[in-house]
Amino acid sequence: MKKQSGITITDIAKELKISVATVSRAFNNHPYVKPELKKQILEFAKTHGYQPSSLASGLRKGKTKTIGVIIPRNNRNFFSNIISSIEEVLTTAGYNTLICQSFESPEKEDSNITTLINSNVSGIIISHCLGKNSHKNIEEAINKGIKVIQFDRVFNAPQTSFVINDNKQGAKEVVLHLLKQGYKRIAFFYGSLTTNIFKERQLGYLEAHKEMGIKPDTSLFFKNTLTREEGYNTTKQIIDKNIKFDAIFSCGDYSALGAYLYIKERGLKIPEDIGIAGFADEPFTEFTTPSITSVNQNDKEMGRLVAEQLIREIENEKSTQIQITIPTIVKYRESTQRL
Amino acid sequence: MKKQSGITITDIAKELKISVATVSRAFNNHPYVKPELKKQILEFAKTHGYQPSSLASGLRKGKTKTIGVIIPRNNRNFFSNIISSIEEVLTTAGYNTLICQSFESPEKEDSNITTLINSNVSGIIISHCLGKNSHKNIEEAINKGIKVIQFDRVFNAPQTSFVINDNKQGAKEVVLHLLKQGYKRIAFFYGSLTTNIFKERQLGYLEAHKEMGIKPDTSLFFKNTLTREEGYNTTKQIIDKNIKFDAIFSCGDYSALGAYLYIKERGLKIPEDIGIAGFADEPFTEFTTPSITSVNQNDKEMGRLVAEQLIREIENEKSTQIQITIPTIVKYRESTQRL
DNA sequence: CTGAAAGCGCTAACAC
DNA sequence: GTGTTAGCGCTTTCAG
């Protein structure tokens, strides 16, 4: 099985009776190439359909024009939006986008990183899976000269730039809103406090209570309640157990949806009996009845910023690491308006 | 800026006082390597963190373990699901996934293909943008030995395997259902008949009418009505113009949503006054009030099949090209139930 | 400004 | 079974 690899730099050199070095220089707009010669080379290349081999140049330079992106999963509105804008920015800047999903498995995430290192990517954009606690791999990547940037779910440990949402502020605003609507006992659905986003949202929850002079009841904190199913079941359990609560603030829209479904099924009224607020602003939250209050994370903007910053760090030796926090926007909807 | 490229095959050979060829053979489980030696090499590699350079082997073999995937955009439920399952299958099989979005621009799609060719991908998975009509690039890729497989939006021209939905059947079932519900004048919202999926869905529309002995009115066919905004505006226009119709079958859920929003805004009743059905089974269709009938495309399955078939063709010289049609599943919801 | 030449890390004849 | 060696296509000193 042969591969007609197409015309190469050597072919051009031979044809034009010049050296490969000159041809190479012409393509890399190296300063010292006589303009006419350069023009001639470029023209020849164009008419003959020359395509540079990124493998060869990558091997030679020890660096490629490709970036790896690692996310928990692509079929979540938040992440697919992010990937979409990351890819757009990277392509425009001449980079390829290698995509990897960890499926919330630390082992998969590790092997993804290894794969990316072997592929000689020049940068890695990552949002960690839940339960990740080692960053040996990330450090290895950094040591090999790969620029790493984190977003959304980040660690402080390996020193990298990152882009996150103002989770605390978003959560605080929502919970404040709930409290002002007269809800007094707000259940908090989250993933795990080892992950920054949940920790920060919890802080927002607590701050809102403090600001309103209301003592939060930590027995209303429910861990590992992020999926639709978990939201449904947890809501069922707390109602069945007769635990007193009058609202739910969930760190994810899918579990908020699960709660919504169970509450309706049970014949209770939203927002009158129970208020519901989620996080992520998944498209469906706008169309349920009642529509569900949620926190928009400015996905596209986040993707753009993270990609741009990474490129900056790759192309600019003296660029410094930065931490960007993007404001969240609370979408106030019917599920929390009972006044 | 140096790159500590890590330990290489040569280092191992030197250290173990054997030749690089043997080391290479050991890693590629070439038959003729003495088991003990092989074990020794693998062990050494492991403890010293050897990582093979995919660039080098790719350059040498003229082929890499990466696959390019081109889609219109990633932030559509259908495509993000597909990408998610494609990436899962490819990673498991040891391939990397390079993702490119055409954003419905033929030029971007072309340049994506070129990029993928330059990256020496061994395969391309593609769903074309609207309005694409040349396939010169695809043919070029095929000529260079790159396996190409199409899905969803496909061409017949360059002979490749493809995986599509049974669009005609899905559309036929929905329209049949509408007609049986007593709707008589069904508006048809679509993209362009040069794209297979719309053509096929139109055929389904027509067959359903034929089967019911009802003559379709082609003045109810509205082109380029796929976005939420277009769906909204088109619905407004046909109502304003007093065009008689009592149902809408849209090739996309977003335009169905636009129609839904306008109709509700106008104070008309769904499904009593106007029935609505969409295509794609976007998550929100389940939660609107009334919920919107739509056609599920079995996204994950499609992604899996397309990736598996591509791998088969890459790894198996004698594998033949095939066309797979996946059944669609109509999700009957409230927006079309008026009996 | 241009050319010659030395590899980047790996694979695959070809010898032994 | 194992070693030698010639590149894959490109970049980059080092000489002119």
Side-chain angles (χ1 to χ4, degrees):
Chain A
M1 152 85 210
K2 78 256 117 203
K3 218 186 123 55
Q4 43 231 82
S5 57
I7 171 176
T8 77
I9 217 180
T10 320
D11 300 330
I12 302 186
K14 244 177 238 158
E15 212 65 45
L16 261 41
K17 300 193 192 309
I18 52 178
S19 78
V20 290
T22 307
V23 181
S24 174
R25 288 191 190 100
F27 290 123
N28 296 285
N29 13 212
H30 184 98
Y32 304 132
V33 182
K34 213 192 292 178
E36 314 128 51
L37 220 197
K38 179 168 176 178
K39 206 182 134 204
Q40 198 189 144
I41 295 172
L42 262 30
E43 218 155 70
F44 185 93
K46 193 163 191 181
T47 59
H48 291 255
Y50 165 72
Q51 303 288 5
S53 157
S54 45
L55 285 182
S57 81
L59 176 60
R60 178 62 230 248
K61 298 203 282 197
K63 196 164 253 209
T64 62
K65 279 284 225 175
T66 106
I67 305 291
V69 188
I70 302 176
I71 51 171
R73 34 175 36 103
N74 188 49
N75 54 346
R76 278 283 179 273
N77 190 56
F78 173 69
F79 288 114
S80 64
N81 270 331
I82 296 251
I83 292 292
S84 181
S85 62
I86 286 178
E87 191 274 341
E88 190 171 7
V89 173
L90 292 183
T91 297
T92 306
Y95 289 85
N96 286 338
T97 309
L98 220 37
I99 187 185
C100 305
Q101 298 173 99
S102 64
F103 293 107
E104 306 289 10
S105 146
E107 293 73 34
K108 284 223 178 75
E109 186 171 314
D110 280 341
S111 92
N112 285 336
I113 296 174
T114 305
T115 304
L116 293 180
I117 294 177
N118 296 355
S119 303
N120 281 279
V121 296
S122 52
I124 293 178
I125 297 175
I126 187 168
S127 183
H128 299 283
C129 64
L130 300 177
K132 185 76 189 299
N133 49 25
S134 125
H135 357 85
K136 238 186 58 202
N137 269 315
I138 297 261
E139 274 159 13
E140 187 190 333
I142 295 174
N143 287 337
K144 294 209 171 167
I146 298 174
K147 298 288 180 186
V148 175
I149 184 166
Q150 308 178 74
F151 74 93
D152 194 46
R153 303 182 188 173
V154 305
F155 291 143
N156 280 315
Q159 200 59 52
T160 74
S161 287
F162 58 72
V163 181
I164 53 174
N165 275 121
D166 197 342
N167 287 293
K168 193 176 80 175
Q169 180 60 21
K172 183 176 170 183
E173 273 179 45
V174 174
V175 175
L176 224 36
H177 164 70
L178 283 167
L179 293 172
K180 285 178 181 164
Q181 288 285 318
Y183 296 105
K184 298 217 170 348
R185 293 182 52 78
I186 306 169
F188 177 62
F189 286 8
Y190 66 106
S192 146
L193 296 181
T194 56
T195 302
N196 64 306
I197 55 173
F198 304 120
K199 183 75 191 163
E200 289 158 16
R201 290 171 198 175
Q202 192 195 54
L203 280 176
Y205 177 103
L206 295 173
E207 274 194 14
H209 279 73
K210 191 169 176 189
E211 195 162 313
M212 294 292 284
I214 296 177
K215 199 167 159 18
D217 180 352
T218 55
S219 74
L220 292 175
F221 291 0
F222 299 93
K223 195 177 164 176
N224 291 328
T225 46
L226 284 180
T227 67
R228 176 170 167 173
E229 202 182 357
E230 288 162 354
Y232 182 96
N233 292 335
T234 304
T235 307
K236 180 171 177 352
Q237 279 168 32
I238 54 184
I239 292 182
D240 284 349
K241 283 189 191 156
N242 244 321
I243 294 177
K244 250 186 71 187
F245 79 105
D246 54 11
I248 295 170
F249 168 47
S250 171
C251 288
D253 280 336
Y254 278 94
S255 67
L257 176 65
Y260 159 97
L261 291 170
Y262 181 72
I263 292 168
K264 287 190 89 166
E265 193 181 309
R266 182 86 175 212
L268 293 167
K269 288 214 167 62
I270 308 169
E272 294 81 355
D273 301 323
I274 300 174
I276 296 185
F279 213 106
D281 197 21
E282 289 276 346
F284 66 78
T285 56
E286 194 180 341
F287 303 114
T288 50
T289 306
S291 53
I292 300 174
T293 293
S294 191
V295 182
N296 182 284
Q297 301 181 88
N298 234 321
D299 322 350
K300 305 227 78 163
E301 177 75 353
M302 182 176 246
R304 191 177 62 73
L305 287 172
V306 72
E308 286 174 354
Q309 174 61 18
L310 180 66
I311 293 172
R312 212 169 292 131
E313 293 186 24
I314 289 172
E315 301 186 345
N316 220 318
E317 268 318 308
K318 60 186 183 301
S319 71
T320 52
Q321 290 178 351
I322 58 174
Q323 277 83 44
I324 303 176
T325 300
I326 301 179
T328 47
I329 304 147
V330 180
K331 299 286 187 177
Y332 296 100
R333 301 209 177 93
E334 299 160 352
S335 66
T336 55
Q337 307 272 6
R338 72 168 176 188
L339 293 188
Chain B
M1 149 86 210
K2 77 258 119 201
K3 218 185 120 58
Q4 42 232 82
S5 56
I7 170 174
T8 78
I9 217 182
T10 320
D11 300 328
I12 302 188
K14 242 177 242 159
E15 213 65 45
L16 261 40
K17 301 191 191 308
I18 51 179
S19 79
V20 289
T22 306
V23 180
S24 174
R25 288 191 191 102
F27 290 123
N28 295 285
N29 12 233
H30 185 96
Y32 305 132
V33 183
K34 213 191 293 179
E36 314 129 51
L37 220 199
K38 180 169 174 177
K39 205 182 135 206
Q40 197 190 146
I41 295 171
L42 262 32
E43 217 155 72
F44 185 93
K46 193 163 191 181
T47 58
H48 290 256
Y50 166 71
Q51 303 288 7
S53 158
S54 44
L55 286 182
S57 82
L59 176 59
R60 179 59 230 249
K61 299 204 282 196
K63 196 166 255 211
T64 61
K65 280 283 226 174
T66 106
I67 306 291
V69 187
I70 302 175
I71 51 172
R73 35 174 37 102
N74 188 50
N75 54 346
R76 278 282 179 272
N77 191 56
F78 174 68
F79 288 115
S80 65
N81 271 330
I82 296 252
I83 292 292
S84 181
S85 62
I86 286 178
E87 191 274 340
E88 190 171 6
V89 172
L90 292 183
T91 297
T92 306
Y95 289 84
N96 287 339
T97 309
L98 220 38
I99 187 185
C100 305
Q101 299 172 99
S102 64
F103 294 107
E104 306 289 9
S105 148
E107 293 74 35
K108 283 222 178 75
E109 186 171 314
D110 280 342
S111 93
N112 285 335
I113 296 174
T114 305
T115 303
L116 293 179
I117 295 176
N118 296 354
S119 303
N120 281 279
V121 296
S122 51
I124 293 178
I125 297 176
I126 186 168
S127 183
H128 300 283
C129 63
L130 301 177
K132 187 75 189 297
N133 48 25
S134 125
H135 357 87
K136 238 186 56 202
N137 270 316
I138 296 262
E139 275 159 11
E140 186 190 333
I142 295 174
N143 288 337
K144 294 210 170 168
I146 298 174
K147 299 288 180 188
V148 175
I149 184 166
Q150 308 178 75
F151 74 93
D152 194 48
R153 303 183 187 172
V154 305
F155 291 143
N156 280 315
Q159 200 60 52
T160 75
S161 288
F162 57 72
V163 181
I164 53 173
N165 275 120
D166 197 343
N167 287 293
K168 193 176 79 176
Q169 180 60 21
K172 183 177 168 182
E173 274 179 45
V174 174
V175 175
L176 224 36
H177 163 71
L178 283 166
L179 293 173
K180 286 180 181 164
Q181 289 284 318
Y183 296 105
K184 299 219 170 347
R185 293 182 51 77
I186 306 170
F188 177 63
F189 287 8
Y190 67 105
S192 146
L193 296 182
T194 55
T195 302
N196 64 306
I197 55 173
F198 304 120
K199 183 74 191 162
E200 290 157 16
R201 291 171 197 176
Q202 192 195 55
L203 280 176
Y205 177 103
L206 295 173
E207 274 194 14
H209 279 73
K210 192 169 178 190
E211 196 164 310
M212 293 291 284
I214 296 176
K215 200 167 162 7
D217 179 351
T218 55
S219 75
L220 292 175
F221 292 179
F222 299 93
K223 195 178 164 176
N224 291 329
T225 46
L226 284 180
T227 67
R228 176 170 168 173
E229 202 182 358
E230 287 162 355
Y232 182 97
N233 291 335
T234 304
T235 306
K236 180 172 179 351
Q237 279 168 32
I238 55 185
I239 292 181
D240 283 349
K241 282 188 189 156
N242 243 321
I243 294 177
K244 247 185 73 188
F245 78 106
D246 53 11
I248 295 170
F249 167 47
S250 171
C251 288
D253 280 336
Y254 278 94
S255 67
L257 175 66
Y260 159 97
L261 291 170
Y262 181 71
I263 291 168
K264 286 191 88 166
E265 192 180 310
R266 183 85 174 213
L268 293 167
K269 287 215 167 61
I270 308 169
E272 293 81 354
D273 300 324
I274 300 174
I276 296 185
F279 213 107
D281 196 22
E282 289 275 347
F284 66 78
T285 56
E286 193 181 342
F287 302 114
T288 50
T289 304
S291 53
I292 300 174
T293 294
S294 190
V295 182
N296 182 284
Q297 301 180 89
N298 233 322
D299 321 350
K300 304 230 77 165
E301 176 76 351
M302 182 176 247
R304 192 176 61 73
L305 287 172
V306 72
E308 287 175 353
Q309 174 61 19
L310 181 65
I311 292 173
R312 211 170 291 132
E313 293 185 25
I314 289 173
E315 301 187 345
N316 220 319
E317 268 319 306
K318 60 187 185 299
S319 71
T320 52
Q321 289 179 353
I322 58 174
Q323 277 83 45
I324 302 176
T325 301
I326 300 179
T328 47
I329 303 146
V330 180
K331 299 285 187 179
Y332 297 101
R333 302 207 177 95
E334 300 161 352
S335 66
T336 56
Q337 307 273 6
R338 72 168 175 188
L339 294 188

